[in-house]
Amino acid sequence: MTSPPRTAVMDQLGVLLAGRGAIAGTRVRAALAAEGLTMRSLYTLTRLTDGPLGQQALIDALGVDPSAVVAVLNELENLGLVSRNRDPADRRRHIVSITAGGLSVLHTIEKLLDDADNDLFGALSPAERDQLNGLLLKVADAASCSDKF
């Protein structure tokens, strides 16, 4: 089977990223699902690696609707990956912490995502991967979408 002829539209950056992005998204979601996670839960867990946060601070950091964060926290807490405890200084507040199990799952996910990256970007040299990573981060920052779920 031969490939269809390339046209200028097929070489547009958005089209190339959309096509490769769909493949990458499928592989990343599969890696996360292997550990019972979603992109939302991954973003939430990674936000907690620097230390505990008040639930409202976590909501603010993620920049999403509070009900979405609460739903993700419920899932993560049921999996034993985060804990929520009342703030002793203000019993109305919850403090959210990543558990040892959560850190372990993040470590496993990192390995699975490294494997997915190696499969997806094996044609690129390490320097090219670093360059692509930097460019994509720049695009994400300009679009204000780097941590949104």
Side-chain angles (χ1 to χ4, degrees), residues 43-53 58 73 76 81-82 96-98 103:
Y43 285 135
T44 304
L45 283 175
T46 57
R47 276 294 181 172
L48 296 170
T49 58
D50 290 332
L53 285 173
L58 181 60
L73 289 176
L76 292 172
L81 305 180
V82 301
V96 184
S97 304
I98 191 168
L103 290 171

Side-chain angles (χ1 to χ4, degrees), residues 27-126:
R27 292 188 184 166
V28 167
R29 283 189 301 279
L32 294 173
E35 294 298 318
L37 299 181
T38 63
M39 287 299 293
R40 289 179 174 197
S41 54
L42 177 65
Y43 285 135
T44 304
L45 283 175
T46 57
R47 276 294 181 172
L48 296 170
T49 58
D50 290 332
L53 285 173
Q55 189 166 308
Q56 186 59 51
L58 181 60
I59 289 166
D60 294 342
L62 293 170
V64 296
D65 186 82
S67 63
V69 175
V70 169
V72 170
L73 289 176
N74 288 342
E75 292 171 13
L76 292 172
E77 196 169 36
N78 287 336
L79 292 170
L81 305 180
V82 301
S83 64
R84 281 184 282 195
N85 297 296
R86 294 275 181 197
D87 184 344
D90 182 350
R91 302 287 299 153
R92 297 169 294 174
R93 258 182 64 161
H94 283 97
I95 303 296
V96 184
S97 304
I98 191 168
T99 64
L103 290 171
S104 177
V105 164
L106 278 180
H107 183 70
T108 299
I109 288 294
E110 186 174 359
K111 289 178 184 176
L112 293 171
L113 293 176
D114 283 344
D115 291 345
D117 276 359
N118 289 335
D119 187 41
L120 288 164
F121 304 108
L124 300 178
S125 70

